[in-house]
Amino acid sequence: LRRQRQMCIRDSSGGGGGNDEVPTVTRLFGNFPNPFNPVTTIRFDLASPAPVSIRIYDASGRLVRILVDERRLPGSYEVTWNGRNDTGSETPSGVYFCRMFCGGYASTSKMVLLR
């Protein structure tokens, strides 16, 4: 017997939604497009309800932007990054890292911004 559940696709503002099965694994997908200019989309799955943190760091390890910092329900999500820092200023071309923390899960993906 197969159970069908609901999946939510949301941006960082929490809008949108759809139907599908709940992911069985929590994971961070690579961003697309990559390289990007001026916007990229970051997808992630949550297998269970948990606080989620998604942060962007520059190549020297400095925090550039916090995209997600809240509790989320199980599902598949996406959030966009417009290449700006937390103050709204454009960041320069270069390599950036997206870090996702969720309970005991942590993952990093490499992103390239070309202006």
Side-chain angles (χ1 to χ4, degrees):
L1 187 64
R2 186 176 167 185
R3 295 187 328 187
Q4 188 166 358
R5 296 185 182 173
Q6 194 170 42
M7 171 183 82
C8 297
I9 299 174
R10 300 180 182 160
D11 62 15
S12 60
S13 64
N19 289 321
D20 207 346
E21 292 187 22
V22 172
T24 57
V25 177
T26 295
R27 64 183 161 179
L28 173 66
F29 296 93
N31 64 302
F32 62 92
N34 192 21
F36 70 97
N37 178 17
V39 176
T40 191
T41 301
I42 301 159
R43 289 185 41 232
F44 62 98
D45 284 351
L46 297 179
S48 59
V52 178
S53 172
I54 296 184
R55 297 168 184 240
I56 307 299
Y57 294 89
D58 65 17
S60 64
R62 288 184 298 248
L63 178 63
V64 172
R65 182 89 186 255
I66 299 172
L67 297 178
V68 177
D69 193 15
E70 63 188 15
R71 184 170 181 80
R72 297 264 176 122
L73 296 175
S76 295
Y77 295 87
E78 58 183 33
V79 61
T80 58
W81 181 45
N82 61 3
R84 295 182 179 269
N85 62 24
D86 276 335
T87 65
S89 300
E90 285 187 350
T91 57
S93 293
V95 175
Y96 293 87
F97 297 93
C98 175
R99 284 284 281 161
M100 176 179 164
F101 298 96
C102 179
Y105 176 86
S107 184
T108 303
S109 67
K110 180 178 171 182
M111 306 184 296
V112 178
L113 171 60
L114 296 176
R115 294 230 182 251

